[in-house]
Amino acid sequence: VLLGEITAGAMIAASIVMSRALAPIERATGAWRGLVAARQARANLKELFAGVESRGGEHVSLPRPEGSLSFENVFYLPPGLEHPVLSGIDLEIEPGENCAVVGPSGAGKSTLCRLAVGAWQPTRGHVRLGGADVYDWDPEELGPHIGYLPQLVDLLPGTVGQNIARFQALNSEAVIRAAKLAGIHELVLSLPDGYETEIALHSRRISLGQRQRLALARSLYGNPALVVLDEPNANMDEAGDRAMIEVLTRLKKLGTTVIIVTHHVSMMSCSDKVLVLKEGAIAAFGPRDQVIRPVRPVETKPATQAQPVTGSLQPAMAVRGKRHPTAE
Ligand SMILES: Nc1ncnc2c1ncn2[C@@H]1O[C@H](COP(=O)(O)OP(=O)(O)OP(=O)(O)O)[C@@H](O)[C@H]1O
Ligand SMILES: [Mg+2]
């Protein structure tokens, strides 16, 4: 401009063009942190999913299993932990049997349930339902054959009916059958909108005990071959306990295999077998009357040795030193 080679206007125009041209570079340097973080996140995801195998593709669908459940030398070591949560679990439950699982807090009862339903993969060993490994089974196909009531009930946003039907296409007959089997048909009808009552994530419209019983109906939906109940009566009152025993009796008649984690001896009235877990290992497993023998009033021991038995798990825990019969 000073030498008169360009006009002042051209100088201003050049300055504007220059700032436009450099804008993307300026933006890139500003976003650099985000870019680095995104690259790191992508690398983390790749690493995380590297060990996950795809279960898709064509495969032969298995028929409905007959309900025998077996644990074959199962170990479970959560990632990052040094000691296994479950070790050397070896047991067999026949179709239609009811097996009660007892043991102190942290013994691995809930972990055993998650392995039984194929939600978690054993670090070593196999869990088989009707002879087939539950973890290898296509989850979409295995789901209808299994009922699972987790310790922490997690109903999803939707109606009561949708929750019981596991968000599958609504089959009213099957929903009502599951509700009646769980003994909650009348309870559902007493809700503001019956089966159409909306369940919100943190709604207080439905109490904890009611949620647990709705989740029980969900686990019984479609008449599964195996039902796993993780402390089903944790939030229930006495009436709920009695209803639970009735449910177990109905399942026994239907020939459903049941695993029930419980701290109540009364819940074992329908049990064929009892499994006592301690520190992730089997402390005792076998027919109920052998494992919890002191509960039977017929067994009269000298008064000094006899223990009070009603409503307590003490007797079961007293035999925890007993060896697993199959191990012997
Ligand atoms: N994924 C995991 N990562 C780390 N630790 C785990 C994992 N799963 C289970 N554990 C540990 O394993 C132990 C057993 O847990 P689990 O929930 O099976 O016990 P539980 O017998 O069901 O106890 P409770 O009677 O209190 O429900 C606990 O000490 C728990 O911290
Ligand atoms: Mg538990």
Side-chain angles (χ1 to χ4, degrees), residues 181-183 213 238-248 250:
L181 189 55
R213 296 184 68 181
E238 237 173 82
D241 281 358
R242 274 197 304 277
M244 193 64 225
I245 294 172
E246 279 171 29
V247 172
L248 293 172
R250 277 181 224 133

Side-chain angles (χ1 to χ4, degrees), residues 71-78 84-89 111 115 121-127 280:
F71 277 66
E72 294 171 2
N73 201 17
V74 169
F75 280 74
Y76 182 71
L77 180 69
V85 172
L86 287 177
S87 57
I89 305 294
T111 306
L115 292 170
Q121 183 181 25
T123 314
R124 215 163 75 202
H126 296 277
V127 179

Side-chain angles (χ1 to χ4, degrees), residues 37-224:
R39 268 184 56 158
Q40 184 60 47
R42 185 171 181 269
N44 288 348
L45 285 175
K46 264 184 106 167
E47 195 183 311
L48 187 69
F49 288 117
V52 179
E53 297 157 33
S54 162
R55 298 204 213 169
E58 296 255 332
H59 58 271
V60 176
S61 297
L62 293 171
R64 180 187 157 87
E66 27 81 301
S68 64
L69 183 75
S70 60
F71 277 66
E72 294 171 2
N73 201 17
V74 169
F75 280 74
Y76 182 71
L77 180 69
L81 239 69
E82 279 179 18
H83 296 286
V85 172
L86 287 177
S87 57
I89 305 294
D90 220 2
L91 55 92
E92 202 136 335
I93 299 164
E94 303 297 330
E97 276 188 342
N98 176 311
C99 178
V101 181
V102 299
S105 201
K109 305 181 295 295
S110 298
T111 306
L112 184 113
C113 291
R114 293 187 193 108
L115 292 170
V117 298
W120 285 359
Q121 183 181 25
T123 314
R124 215 163 75 202
H126 296 277
V127 179
R128 297 184 191 280
L129 177 64
D133 192 311
V134 286
Y135 192 76
D136 290 340
W137 211 310
D138 181 339
E140 289 287 324
E141 288 176 11
L142 176 66
H145 304 313
I146 286 189
Y148 175 43
L149 175 67
Q151 191 168 6
L152 290 175
V153 168
D154 51 351
L155 294 177
L156 297 170
T159 65
V160 166
Q162 283 174 325
N163 267 280
I164 294 179
R166 306 176 179 186
F167 289 86
Q168 305 281 327
L170 258 183
N171 175 343
S172 308
E173 207 180 301
V175 169
I176 292 172
R177 200 180 320 126
K180 285 190 171 164
L181 189 55
I184 59 155
H185 181 60
E186 283 72 28
L187 184 149
V188 174
L189 293 182
S190 72
L191 291 173
D193 296 317
Y195 282 92
E196 306 312 319
T197 307
E198 283 285 337
I199 298 173
L201 255 192
H202 303 291
S203 145
R204 302 225 170 86
R205 260 171 104 187
I206 300 175
S207 76
L208 212 57
Q210 288 174 333
R211 277 172 184 266
Q212 198 154 26
R213 296 184 68 181
L214 285 176
L216 173 68
R218 177 181 64 184
S219 73
L220 304 179
Y221 180 77
N223 198 13

Side-chain angles (χ1 to χ4, degrees), residues 1 5-17:
V1 171
E5 285 174 7
I6 55 166
T7 63
M11 186 189 75
I12 294 168
S15 157
I16 292 172
V17 169

